[in-house]
Each structure stands twice: as structure tokens, then as C-alpha cells.
Amino acid sequence: MKKKTQAIDSQALPPEVRPGQSVELLKQLHILTRDGKLNQDSRRKLKQVYHLFQFIEKLLLELPASDSGPTLADHGAGKSYLGFIIYDLFFKALGRGTIYGIETRSELVASSQALAERLHFERMRFLNVSVAESTQSAELPEQIDVVTALHACDTATDDAIAFGLQKKARYMVLVPCCQAELARALNQNKALNLQRTPLAELWRHPLHAREVGSQLTNVLRCLYLESQGYAVTVTELVGWEHSMKNELILAKYTGQKKRSAAERLQALLKEFGLEAMLKHRYPALDVSPV
């Protein structure tokens, strides 16, 4: 009778729950309710994570085989939705490999550690450090195969890129969020730029400054990655009706550094009056006169 009840319960699960997936995990992440239901907000969140997982799974499958298995660092992990889903759907069955969740909020790190122990996800590690601090952490290996950053806010995406460069990541999977740094910089020199170039009209109004700053930030990130030997693809994560923070940057290391990308990056900084950002935001760039 007990087995029959379990079978009925399994059949009653929402179709979004995949075969073999941990129902307990989805409940603990508050994606499923206690009685196994899925509300609209959770369905939207799960769709985003699943869609991102499809991209990441493909990259993991392309990695060369090794005894220790793949390594993945998830920056700005939060409650580690992404890390747990990737482990549950890929690393668990693989039987090797490690996922590192990097998060500054100690209470989230503690709860993630407790959940991993409860679910026997032995190869998940959680670090209570900033993205920038993680580059110096002895708890992380010297090389990381895949670096992810889902909705890492403002400059945390840039820190994740810096981490990926240092750790010689084979792949980076980035969904930027709340890119405000450039908008602030554009506003600081607004009067001077309005005299210098008509392009400054693009960011004269605060709303436009935010939008232009966000777009320019991601363009510069892509050029920076290309200048450091990565082939870059930019696409949508999910439909715009699900999330406005929707840009997905996929970077694959090829070793072919593009000098033209470095030159264009520098030219854009000069055109927008942002030369001061060159040294601290793009330290690995081979700087040359533009």
C-alpha cells in the first residue's frame, strides 16, 4: 500500500519536475509547496533555472573526462538554487565533480551547507566570501572548469569575470543584473560630455543613463572576454515576459586573444569619457594608445 501511495504522489507532481529529481530539494528551496504543488512565481523561477541548466549541461558534457570530475563555481549564489539544481540533475548521477557556492551572506551559506548535508550532496562546498575575495581563497582549486553568475548585482559580474580569468575557466555563464556603475560614471561628467559630443544626449536623462549604462557595461564585458581569449555568445535567458534581467553571456576559452577587441574596448571608454575605468575594471587588458 505504501508503494502504491508513493507512485500516486509521484504521478501527481507537476510536469516540470523531472524524473529522478529530488522532490525534497524542490520543497526545501520553496519551489514546490509542502503538498507538491507549484505556484506561478515558482514555475517562472524554475523555468529560468532549467533553461540556464540546459546551457550549462552542454558545456559540462564538452569538458574532457577526468578522475576528479568537473568543477563549477557559482558566484553570488544566494540560496544556491542554481547550484543545487545542477548538482541534482547532473553531478549526482555523474558521481564525481564539485560545485562551489560563493555568497557573502553567512546565514544563506549556513542554510545551504545544512541542506547539502541533509540531502547527502557531499560534493557541494559553500564559501562565505565576496566574489573578489574568492580569488584568494585556499578552499578553491587553482583551476575551475565553469564559472556561473546568475543575476550577480552591479559589479559582481565583473568580479566573477576576474575570478574566471584567474582560475583559467574553460567556460563562463553570466546573467548580469543591476549594472549601475557606468550610469554613475556617465552622470558625473554629464555637462562636460554634452559639450564634447552629441552622443551624450543618449544619457542626459537619468532613465536613459541607466539603460545606456547597462547596455554599454555588457558590451565592454564581452569585448574584455574576447580580448582575453574567449569566444563570446550573447542570447536571451528566457522570454522577456518572465524577467527583464534577461541577457545571457556565454564565454568559451579558445586561447585566441583578440587585439581588435581590446582596441575597441579602449575606444569606447574614450568615446564615453570613461578612461578612468580602464586600469581597475580591465586590469588584464593589453593597453595601447587608441
Side-chain angles (χ1 to χ4, degrees), residues 24-161:
E24 178 62 21
L25 169 64
L26 296 178
K27 288 182 179 180
Q28 291 296 326
L29 293 178
H30 303 292
I31 292 174
L32 286 180
T33 62
R34 294 177 68 177
D35 57 354
K37 303 300 182 183
L38 191 66
N39 64 37
Q40 191 59 35
D41 184 59
S42 294
R43 181 173 281 107
R44 187 162 47 243
K45 183 181 296 183
L46 193 58
K47 181 176 181 179
Q48 288 186 50
V49 175
Y50 277 165
H51 196 61
L52 188 55
F53 170 73
Q54 289 178 340
F55 287 103
I56 296 170
E57 181 185 32
K58 182 180 178 182
L59 303 180
L60 290 169
L61 290 170
E62 290 178 359
L63 292 171
S66 69
D67 293 336
S68 58
T71 51
L72 183 147
D74 182 27
H75 284 285
K79 295 180 180 179
S80 293
Y81 284 96
L82 180 61
F84 276 114
I85 294 293
I86 295 172
Y87 191 97
D88 191 34
L89 295 180
F90 188 88
F91 281 72
K92 185 171 67 176
L94 187 66
R96 61 185 186 277
T98 306
I99 292 180
Y100 299 90
I102 298 165
E103 172 58 47
T104 57
R105 288 166 287 183
S106 58
E107 69 278 9
L108 295 183
V109 171
S111 64
S112 294
Q113 288 173 334
L115 179 56
E117 290 174 7
R118 189 156 61 249
L119 297 172
H120 304 292
F121 287 7
E122 296 91 352
R123 288 169 286 107
M124 291 193 77
R125 308 283 184 271
F126 300 94
L127 284 70
N128 183 202
V129 294
S130 69
V131 180
E133 291 168 343
S134 67
T135 59
Q136 308 301 323
S137 174
E139 297 182 58
L140 288 158
E142 291 185 5
Q143 199 270 331
I144 293 286
D145 292 315
V146 180
V147 172
T148 63
L150 176 58
H151 295 159
C153 196
D154 199 8
T155 59
T157 298
D158 300 292
D159 292 335
I161 290 172

Side-chain angles (χ1 to χ4, degrees), residues 203-222:
W203 64 90
R204 180 161 63 92
H205 300 287
L207 177 61
H208 292 161
R210 187 177 67 192
E211 293 173 344
V212 169
S214 177
Q215 178 78 356
L216 181 58
T217 297
N218 289 342
V219 169
L220 293 171
R221 285 167 174 163
C222 293

Side-chain angles (χ1 to χ4, degrees), residues 128-281:
N128 183 202
V129 294
S130 69
V131 180
E133 291 168 343
S134 67
T135 59
Q136 308 301 323
S137 174
E139 297 182 58
L140 288 158
E142 291 185 5
Q143 199 270 331
I144 293 286
D145 292 315
V146 180
V147 172
T148 63
L150 176 58
H151 295 159
C153 196
D154 199 8
T155 59
T157 298
D158 300 292
D159 292 335
I161 290 172
F163 173 91
L165 294 178
Q166 179 174 318
K167 295 296 184 180
K168 300 178 177 61
R170 298 176 190 272
Y171 299 101
M172 297 192 216
V173 182
L174 312 166
V175 181
C177 182
C178 306
Q179 304 94 311
E181 183 186 36
L182 272 188
R184 292 191 295 268
L186 289 172
N187 281 325
Q188 287 176 355
N189 303 313
K190 187 183 299 185
L192 178 62
N193 284 325
L194 281 167
Q195 295 176 9
R196 185 176 61 84
T197 172
L199 281 177
E201 289 293 339
L202 292 174
W203 64 90
R204 180 161 63 92
H205 300 287
L207 177 61
H208 292 161
R210 187 177 67 192
E211 293 173 344
V212 169
S214 177
Q215 178 78 356
L216 181 58
T217 297
N218 289 342
V219 169
L220 293 171
R221 285 167 174 163
C222 293
L223 288 171
Y224 188 43
L225 286 164
E226 289 176 341
S227 76
Q228 299 308 303
Y230 286 82
V232 176
T233 301
V234 181
T235 186
E236 290 182 354
L237 175 58
V238 289
W240 289 106
E241 71 274 14
H242 295 291
S243 174
M244 293 303 291
K245 306 300 182 182
N246 197 40
E247 187 169 336
L248 173 61
I249 300 173
L250 298 167
K252 176 182 180 180
Y253 186 71
T254 64
Q256 299 177 352
K257 296 186 177 183
K258 289 187 177 181
R259 184 172 181 82
S260 60
E263 292 171 348
R264 288 170 185 166
L265 191 157
Q266 290 177 251
L268 280 173
L269 291 176
K270 183 176 181 181
E271 184 66 31
F272 284 84
L274 300 168
E275 296 97 328
M277 295 184 64
L278 185 60
K279 289 184 178 180
H280 81 274
R281 187 53 65 204

